[in-house]
Amino acid sequence: MAAWTLFSISYRVAREVAPVIEGVATAGSATSITDTVRLQNQFEDDHFTLGTAWILQDAAGLGASPEGKYARITDFVQTTGVVTMVTVTDAVAAGDRYALANKRYNLDQIIQ
């Protein structure tokens, strides 16, 4: 059994108490996730602002960073499908799987 981490616990708690959506990034950086398929023009501006982003799996499936990282979301722009977040150290790449929760329960509340 894999060890429990704050990443896995916070993600599981969020899925139980808040609407969480998952998708596959079409681009990204250490401070952003872009998804022109799942996010662009699907949610209103700032829908995810003050929520949480989790990077669930790297595109290559090898567990490379930023897989297993999570961050507070600082902005969401619906026309571009871009989520801006606090840095996750390494760039999110096209094909990385992510999850997002809005601000209903912010990261501090989820951890608490």
Side-chain angles (χ1 to χ4, degrees):
M1 181 174 148
W4 289 95
T5 64
L6 190 53
F7 171 88
S8 61
I9 293 169
S10 66
Y11 177 60
R12 289 176 67 113
V13 168
R15 288 184 51 188
E16 291 295 321
V17 300
V20 174
I21 66 118
E22 294 183 12
V24 177
T26 55
S29 71
T31 58
S32 69
I33 299 167
T34 301
D35 185 344
T36 56
V37 175
R38 178 79 169 97
L39 299 178
Q40 189 173 20
N41 298 318
Q42 299 298 312
F43 301 91
E44 64 190 44
D45 276 341
D46 295 322
H47 179 79
F48 298 104
T49 303
L50 303 178
T52 307
W54 293 266
I55 309 305
L56 303 175
Q57 184 177 37
D58 83 293
L62 301 174
S65 186
E67 181 177 313
K69 304 275 177 91
Y70 57 94
R72 287 177 182 83
I73 298 170
T74 57
D75 193 27
F76 172 67
V77 179
Q78 94 133 187
T79 57
T80 59
V82 175
V83 172
T84 305
M85 61 192 170
V86 175
T87 187
V88 290
T89 311
D90 297 301
V92 172
D96 286 358
R97 290 196 53 76
Y98 67 85
L100 305 174
N102 66 20
K103 67 180 179 181
R104 181 175 183 188
Y105 295 99
N106 65 41
L107 182 58
D108 293 328
Q109 291 170 311
I110 291 168
I111 290 172
Q112 189 177 39

